[in-house]
Amino acid sequence: MRPQIATLLKGASIDQEITVMGWVRTFRNNQFIALNDGSTNQNLQVVVDFTKLDESLLKRITTSACIAATGKLVQSQGKGQSVELEAHSLEILGDSDAEKYPLQPKKHSLEFLREIAHLRFRTNTFASVNRLRNALIFGIHQFFQERNFLNIHTPIISASDAEGAGEMFRVTTLHLENLPKTDAGEIDYAEDFFGRSSNLTVSGQLEAELAAMAFTKVYTFGPTFRAENSNTTRHLAEFWMIEPEVAFNELKDNADLAESMLKYVIQYAMDRHPDDIDFLDARLAEEEKQKPTNERAEMGLKEKLNFVLNNNFERITYTEAIEILLLSPAYKKKKFKYDVSWGIDMQSEHERYLVEKHFNKPVIVTDYPKNIKAFYMRQNDNCEPGKETVAAMDILAPGIGEIIGGSQREERLEKLEQRMNEMEIPTKEMFWYLDTRRFGTCKHAGFGLGFERLVQFVTGMGNIRDVIPFPRTPKNCEF
Amino acid sequence: MRPQIATLLKGASIDQEITVMGWVRTFRNNQFIALNDGSTNQNLQVVVDFTKLDESLLKRITTSACIAATGKLVQSQGKGQSVELEAHSLEILGDSDAEKYPLQPKKHSLEFLREIAHLRFRTNTFASVNRLRNALIFGIHQFFQERNFLNIHTPIISASDAEGAGEMFRVTTLHLENLPKTDAGEIDYAEDFFGRSSNLTVSGQLEAELAAMAFTKVYTFGPTFRAENSNTTRHLAEFWMIEPEVAFNELKDNADLAESMLKYVIQYAMDRHPDDIDFLDARLAEEEKQKPTNERAEMGLKEKLNFVLNNNFERITYTEAIEILLLSPAYKKKKFKYDVSWGIDMQSEHERYLVEKHFNKPVIVTDYPKNIKAFYMRQNDNCEPGKETVAAMDILAPGIGEIIGGSQREERLEKLEQRMNEMEIPTKEMFWYLDTRRFGTCKHAGFGLGFERLVQFVTGMGNIRDVIPFPRTPKNCEF
């Protein structure tokens, strides 16, 4: 196997003759190549003896040229690196014309890099973000697998549009230029691929519940979709979601699971790629400096992540949250754009106040008003009339807002059917979901973690388009 | 934490007072409950003293009822189980009306179970299949992560339709009843969500190549789609695919990687769930017995898996494969439906002959004719005129056929552009793909593993619809 630079920098293979392959980041003094192979954000210094190399070859050592360098790995003389490669031979595997290469060895704007997303993996920032993204993916799997959860692949294409979680994309093989019609003149979806109208999934939760009623502990990890025309730094049309679902769990167990999962995966990512965290910490500090003092975050990236790891998440009910808001200086000074009263769907400004001003740490808000939440959430018993709540929970994180939404599910058939009827959700079409309540039902709970929000939180990236390789947003489906 | 039955059966918590929750599989003699919680295919025997329980409660202990049983875990008196629970109290969490419950404690046909896919997780067969499916998912991640590959989420919605790997599903938010038209009277896709026509991805390979040119070693693991009207036991409209891509790898490295990955994940699944493998081995043996002698598989499931683990995959070129076929008794006796000659795209019958009759083990066929393979495959040098080949490889497995398809990629810009022009693939639209060849190109190779085919191979299930929780096929998009 070819050695990777991450391994070499740890001191492996010292004094051995090796061949290293990678891409040139910089070339100084006709002598020092900073070589990167993506295994770490550190470059390997390759020292070449320009007196022995052909000048035509030296000219081809340009930014992003792909090279193979052979020589001996030795203790480095210079500062800032442990080892370096004394190369006695060098091969250009792929040229990179410096005149035409869009990435120059200087700072580019994130906006510009989004336009060349096919090349931005080669920048320090996006390489660090994607290594951490990978660590978070695997950390999540490992967390659940260690606890005997089964990963379930729930369907991406779905004919069910009952949940009402958001606007959906249609999936079709009909020829739009020549749509089949029924005798009544309507579009004949019986002619479509699935014999009916179908969409891209907005959530795998309902199917995960089916599996939890057999395996006790399951989780999904897959893409989900929203056809909403929202051009914000927090929304994507295509994003990845993790949805654990656990039989016999109640709301408190659900919150415990979510908190321990978040801490586990953050710790895992920090342990696996400390260099990338350091780099992004410095990057964010630099970015914050550009902001007016009163807009700067209270904590740096590493400080924030350590703070989350070392403190319990705050747990409050929705009713308590509203009380805090009503008593807040911000409310009294009329600084909120949206009004506050029991029953509102809290706005981003309210959530940010709770998380960033009042508690300054992640907050788990539970027991929301029934009327602003989904049909499948468990109705709390003994509510004050007019103040009915459900066993819902949202986890709000500093700088991100809602990162997790979940609930205990309504396991009682009658109450569930009644709620579905109230909300005009067709019970007949959803027979399969209701069957879990008919045959061996039990208390259960789960949540959804928006994966890109988690990556934002861990990397400190402000725009969600910068934490997924190829973002899909309104009017943008490049690459 | 509630104990899981898998843990209890290993002898944990003996003589302790515990509460176990799960679903009733059977209830014998008003005394012995076989309880399952999905953590293993073994049931925990719960012994109840019917003289102390209310008769109305006993009547509710029906198949698939959900119960909580509390008592002491003791060494079992009976045969076939190590421990059992002496329950002193029992709670019915969820009833299951025996008259209405569709699953009875008897053998159901796989066809029937497909119609109630929302409940089939609760059967022995599907529980075993899904536990193994989960083990294969995690085994794949672990294999690549141990080798420092990065998991890359490539896009699901794609505007590119250039690859031509198969028929695609359209993704749209246009109102089909009222399609926007351009002045020329054509459908105005600029009005669609992404401002252009878009589809569900057929492969993440091209995007994975972009990432490999920065990170050296990457893999995808995500859903892919084919809108093909094929109702076979081997095709799904929605399936999961793993696509590793490695910079600097040549075809042989690619084959080595694929072979070691398959062996690793098969071993991992067998080690993690030996009981499920045993169960499916017996199930398959039973099924084989129903077949005429000459149609039976030569090996049982476990025997086959061990054989694969303990033998090198056969490696032959396409040209050698054709020679073997031409010299075969099957060819000479005209038993093949499709003719054999150099240049053909081998049919399933040919592949099966090679794998099941001639070699009787997995076979890696390399160096296929250029004309039957994709544009991005590397053109072999020094080919005999008229017999041009590419550095492609297919891995064929007994009983399954093609399980992996891959190639070394054409890294030379000129040759790639020339081939794209020949095949009328628009080079302008694919500028982002070609940029990897313009800036620091290098040799690289990768492959695609159809995940459900792998699950079929490891579980011995004959129909691909039975190894994914909710299959999507023509005219079928239930649940």
Side-chain angles (χ1 to χ4, degrees):
Chain A
M1 277 301 273
R2 284 176 305 276
Q4 283 202 287
I5 288 174
T7 318
L8 295 176
L9 291 178
K10 285 177 189 145
S13 317
I14 205 94
D15 286 332
Q16 287 178 37
E17 166 99 0
I18 52 169
T19 298
V20 183
M21 302 182 190
W23 292 268
V24 174
R25 284 289 168 87
T26 57
F27 184 36
R28 287 186 300 119
N29 297 345
N30 261 357
Q31 201 172 2
F32 303 110
I33 300 169
L35 193 69
N36 192 286
D37 68 359
S39 61
T40 159
N41 67 357
Q42 308 295 310
N43 302 317
L44 176 69
Q45 176 153 293
V46 176
V47 185
V48 297
D49 183 349
F50 60 87
T51 62
K52 291 187 185 157
L53 291 180
D54 208 67
E55 199 171 335
S56 66
L57 188 106
L58 286 171
K59 277 193 182 155
R60 293 168 64 196
I61 307 174
T62 54
T63 301
S64 222
C66 187
I67 66 168
T70 303
K72 205 196 273 184
L73 198 71
V74 298
Q75 298 291 346
S76 179
Q77 310 298 313
K79 276 186 293 183
Q81 60 253 347
S82 55
V83 296
E84 61 187 29
L85 187 78
E86 280 182 2
H88 61 71
S89 77
L90 202 72
E91 189 188 350
I92 307 285
L93 304 175
D95 286 292
S96 176
D97 184 337
E99 301 286 306
K100 291 180 184 158
Y101 187 56
L103 279 166
Q104 297 304 319
K106 59 154 196 167
K107 202 172 156 62
H108 293 283
S109 76
L110 296 174
E111 291 73 18
F112 170 72
L113 293 173
R114 252 169 250 149
E115 286 168 23
I116 52 164
H118 63 304
L119 296 173
R120 68 178 179 170
F121 291 125
R122 302 178 185 198
T123 66
N124 288 329
T125 298
F126 287 95
S128 287
V129 166
N130 280 288
R131 272 189 298 269
L132 287 166
R133 184 178 169 106
N134 170 71
L136 289 166
I137 294 170
F138 190 62
I140 287 165
H141 281 296
Q142 197 166 269
F143 173 84
F144 287 115
Q145 296 287 329
E146 284 175 354
R147 283 154 189 78
N148 284 320
F149 284 66
L150 295 196
N151 186 203
I152 299 288
H153 286 146
T154 51
I156 310 301
I157 303 174
S158 165
S160 150
D161 58 358
E163 205 198 334
E167 291 293 309
M168 293 192 290
F169 289 100
R170 175 185 298 283
V171 173
T172 183
T173 54
L174 295 178
H175 291 286
L176 302 199
E177 300 75 14
N178 186 16
L179 289 165
K181 296 281 167 76
T182 62
D183 291 344
E186 290 174 342
I187 295 168
D188 188 5
Y189 290 108
E191 296 285 311
D192 209 345
F193 189 87
F194 294 111
R196 55 200 289 194
S197 171
S198 63
N199 313 292
L200 290 178
T201 184
V202 293
S203 158
Q205 177 202 317
L206 303 189
E207 289 88 356
E209 284 188 57
L210 306 177
M213 295 297 107
F215 297 114
T216 306
K217 302 196 276 190
V218 302
Y219 70 107
T220 72
F221 194 149
T224 46
F225 305 86
R226 296 283 184 286
E228 270 147 35
N229 197 5
S230 28
N231 256 310
T232 79
T233 57
R234 300 173 66 240
H235 292 91
L236 291 168
E238 173 182 314
F239 59 101
W240 288 67
M241 194 139 75
I242 294 96
E243 298 183 283
E245 190 72 36
V246 184
F248 314 119
N249 264 8
E250 302 186 17
L251 191 63
K252 182 183 176 306
D253 309 308
N254 205 32
D256 291 346
L257 181 69
E259 179 169 345
S260 58
M261 182 202 67
L262 285 175
K263 286 178 171 175
Y264 179 102
V265 302
I266 291 169
Q267 186 72 62
Y268 179 83
M270 291 176 80
D271 288 348
R272 188 159 157 188
H273 296 300
D275 291 346
D276 291 315
I277 295 281
D278 284 343
F279 173 81
L280 292 169
D281 183 66
R283 184 197 160 275
L284 190 64
E286 197 58 44
E287 206 174 64
E288 288 286 309
K289 270 194 216 156
Q290 318 299 320
K291 291 184 186 170
T293 320
N294 65 341
E295 284 179 22
R296 291 181 198 167
E298 309 235 333
M299 288 190 245
L301 178 63
K302 261 167 80 171
E303 199 187 352
K304 179 189 76 176
L305 295 175
N306 281 314
F307 186 81
V308 167
L309 292 178
N310 298 324
N311 287 280
N312 292 329
F313 291 10
E314 195 65 39
R315 299 189 187 197
I316 58 171
T317 65
Y318 169 89
T319 303
E320 288 164 346
I322 295 293
E323 280 162 15
I324 289 167
L325 292 173
L326 289 173
L327 291 170
S328 69
Y331 179 74
K332 291 181 177 164
K333 289 182 192 158
K334 300 192 195 298
K335 288 214 173 151
F336 290 135
K337 192 173 157 203
Y338 295 91
D339 199 14
V340 178
S341 66
W342 199 98
I344 62 161
D345 202 357
M346 279 190 279
Q347 298 295 315
S348 179
E349 57 174 353
H350 305 135
E351 296 179 345
R352 293 188 72 134
Y353 177 83
L354 289 170
V355 170
E356 288 164 24
K357 301 287 170 192
H358 190 81
F359 290 112
N360 205 16
K361 59 175 167 168
V363 178
I364 308 183
V365 183
T366 61
D367 301 293
Y368 282 79
K370 173 177 156 180
N371 287 335
I372 59 171
K373 287 290 183 182
F375 74 91
Y376 50 72
M377 296 190 178
R378 193 176 199 273
Q379 297 165 47
N380 285 324
D381 298 317
N382 308 317
C383 293
E384 197 184 315
K387 288 204 168 178
E388 287 79 11
T389 57
V390 287
M393 66 171 206
D394 280 0
I395 301 189
L396 314 174
I400 301 289
E402 186 193 323
I403 191 167
I404 279 180
S407 70
Q408 190 174 333
R409 319 305 187 189
E410 184 54 82
E411 87 281 10
R412 297 162 295 187
L413 180 62
E414 272 183 36
K415 290 208 179 257
L416 182 58
E417 281 183 327
Q418 187 194 333
R419 189 67 186 140
M420 289 171 79
N421 289 332
E422 279 170 23
M423 294 175 77
E424 295 180 357
I425 290 161
T427 52
K428 206 166 178 178
E429 204 181 290
M430 300 276 284
F431 78 95
W432 50 274
Y433 184 66
L434 291 167
D435 268 3
T436 54
R437 275 66 172 173
R438 285 189 191 104
F439 306 113
T441 190
C442 65
K443 288 186 178 176
H444 59 290
F447 60 83
L449 165 69
F451 183 61
E452 281 72 21
R453 298 253 175 107
L454 174 67
V455 184
Q456 278 192 278
F457 187 72
V458 171
T459 59
M461 299 300 286
N463 193 318
I464 202 165
R465 293 170 172 85
D466 296 331
V467 298
I468 190 167
F470 303 99
R472 267 61 182 123
T473 52
K475 306 292 172 204
N476 177 32
C477 191
E478 298 297 319
F479 313 108
Chain B
M1 278 302 273
R2 284 177 307 275
Q4 283 204 287
I5 289 174
T7 318
L8 295 177
L9 292 178
K10 285 178 190 146
S13 318
I14 205 93
D15 288 331
Q16 286 177 37
E17 166 98 1
I18 52 167
T19 297
V20 183
M21 301 183 191
W23 292 268
V24 174
R25 284 288 168 89
T26 57
F27 183 37
R28 286 186 302 118
N29 299 344
N30 262 356
Q31 202 173 1
F32 302 110
I33 300 169
L35 193 69
N36 192 286
D37 69 358
S39 60
T40 159
N41 67 356
Q42 308 296 308
N43 302 317
L44 176 68
Q45 176 153 294
V46 177
V47 186
V48 298
D49 183 349
F50 60 88
T51 63
K52 290 188 185 158
L53 291 180
D54 208 67
E55 199 171 332
S56 65
L57 189 108
L58 287 171
K59 277 193 181 153
R60 294 167 65 196
I61 307 174
T62 53
T63 301
S64 221
C66 188
I67 66 168
T70 303
K72 205 197 269 185
L73 198 72
V74 298
Q75 299 291 345
S76 179
Q77 309 299 311
K79 276 186 293 184
Q81 60 254 348
S82 55
V83 297
E84 60 189 29
L85 186 77
E86 280 181 2
H88 61 70
S89 77
L90 202 71
E91 190 189 346
I92 308 286
L93 303 175
D95 286 292
S96 176
D97 184 336
E99 300 286 306
K100 291 181 185 157
Y101 187 57
L103 280 167
Q104 298 304 318
K106 60 154 195 166
K107 204 172 155 61
H108 293 283
S109 75
L110 296 174
E111 290 73 18
F112 171 72
L113 293 174
R114 251 169 250 149
E115 287 168 23
I116 51 165
H118 63 305
L119 296 174
R120 69 179 178 170
F121 291 126
R122 302 179 185 198
T123 66
N124 288 329
T125 299
F126 286 95
S128 287
V129 166
N130 280 288
R131 272 189 297 271
L132 288 166
R133 184 177 169 107
N134 170 72
L136 290 167
I137 294 170
F138 189 61
I140 287 165
H141 281 296
Q142 197 167 269
F143 172 85
F144 286 116
Q145 296 286 331
E146 284 175 355
R147 285 154 187 77
N148 284 321
F149 283 66
L150 295 195
N151 185 204
I152 298 287
H153 287 145
T154 51
I156 311 301
I157 304 174
S158 165
S160 149
D161 58 358
E163 205 198 335
E167 289 294 310
M168 293 192 290
F169 289 101
R170 175 185 297 283
V171 173
T172 182
T173 54
L174 294 178
H175 291 285
L176 302 198
E177 301 76 13
N178 187 15
L179 289 165
K181 297 280 167 74
T182 62
D183 291 344
E186 290 176 340
I187 295 169
D188 187 4
Y189 291 108
E191 296 284 311
D192 209 345
F193 189 88
F194 294 110
R196 55 200 287 193
S197 172
S198 63
N199 313 293
L200 289 178
T201 184
V202 293
S203 158
Q205 177 203 315
L206 304 190
E207 288 88 356
E209 284 188 57
L210 306 179
M213 295 297 107
F215 297 114
T216 306
K217 302 197 275 191
V218 301
Y219 69 107
T220 72
F221 193 150
T224 45
F225 305 86
R226 296 283 185 284
E228 269 147 36
N229 197 6
S230 28
N231 256 309
T232 79
T233 59
R234 298 172 68 241
H235 292 90
L236 291 168
E238 172 181 314
F239 59 100
W240 289 67
M241 194 137 78
I242 294 96
E243 298 181 283
E245 190 71 35
V246 184
F248 314 119
N249 264 10
E250 301 186 19
L251 191 63
K252 183 184 176 304
D253 309 308
N254 204 32
D256 291 345
L257 180 70
E259 180 169 345
S260 58
M261 181 202 67
L262 285 174
K263 287 178 171 175
Y264 179 103
V265 302
I266 291 169
Q267 185 72 63
Y268 179 83
M270 291 177 80
D271 289 347
R272 188 158 157 189
H273 296 298
D275 290 346
D276 291 315
I277 294 282
D278 284 344
F279 173 81
L280 293 169
D281 183 65
R283 184 198 161 276
L284 190 64
E286 197 58 43
E287 205 174 65
E288 288 286 309
K289 270 194 214 156
Q290 317 299 321
K291 292 184 184 169
T293 321
N294 64 341
E295 286 179 21
R296 291 182 199 166
E298 309 234 334
M299 287 191 244
L301 178 63
K302 260 167 78 171
E303 199 187 351
K304 179 190 76 177
L305 295 175
N306 281 314
F307 186 82
V308 167
L309 291 178
N310 297 323
N311 286 280
N312 292 332
F313 292 9
E314 196 66 39
R315 299 188 186 197
I316 57 170
T317 64
Y318 169 89
T319 302
E320 288 164 346
I322 294 295
E323 281 162 13
I324 290 167
L325 292 173
L326 289 173
L327 292 170
S328 70
Y331 178 76
K332 290 179 178 165
K333 290 181 193 160
K334 300 191 196 298
K335 288 216 172 147
F336 290 135
K337 193 174 157 203
Y338 296 91
D339 199 14
V340 178
S341 67
W342 199 100
I344 61 160
D345 201 357
M346 280 190 278
Q347 298 294 317
S348 179
E349 59 175 352
H350 305 136
E351 296 180 344
R352 293 187 72 133
Y353 177 84
L354 289 170
V355 170
E356 290 165 23
K357 301 287 171 194
H358 191 82
F359 291 113
N360 204 17
K361 60 174 166 169
V363 178
I364 308 182
V365 183
T366 60
D367 302 294
Y368 282 80
K370 172 177 158 181
N371 287 336
I372 60 171
K373 288 290 184 183
F375 74 91
Y376 50 72
M377 295 189 178
R378 192 176 199 275
Q379 298 166 47
N380 285 324
D381 299 317
N382 308 318
C383 293
E384 195 185 315
K387 288 205 169 179
E388 287 79 11
T389 58
V390 287
M393 67 172 205
D394 280 359
I395 302 190
L396 314 174
I400 302 288
E402 186 192 324
I403 192 167
I404 279 180
S407 71
Q408 190 175 332
R409 319 306 187 187
E410 183 54 82
E411 87 281 10
R412 297 161 295 187
L413 180 63
E414 270 183 37
K415 291 209 178 256
L416 182 57
E417 281 183 328
Q418 186 194 332
R419 188 69 186 137
M420 289 171 79
N421 289 333
E422 279 169 23
M423 293 175 78
E424 295 180 358
I425 290 162
T427 51
K428 205 165 178 179
E429 204 181 289
M430 300 277 284
F431 77 95
W432 49 275
Y433 184 66
L434 292 167
D435 269 2
T436 54
R437 275 66 173 174
R438 283 188 192 107
F439 305 113
T441 190
C442 64
K443 288 186 179 176
H444 59 289
F447 61 83
L449 165 70
F451 183 61
E452 281 71 22
R453 298 251 174 106
L454 174 66
V455 184
Q456 279 193 279
F457 188 72
V458 171
T459 60
M461 299 300 287
N463 193 317
I464 201 165
R465 293 170 172 84
D466 296 331
V467 298
I468 189 167
F470 303 100
R472 267 61 182 122
T473 52
K475 306 292 172 205
N476 178 32
C477 191
E478 298 297 319
F479 313 108

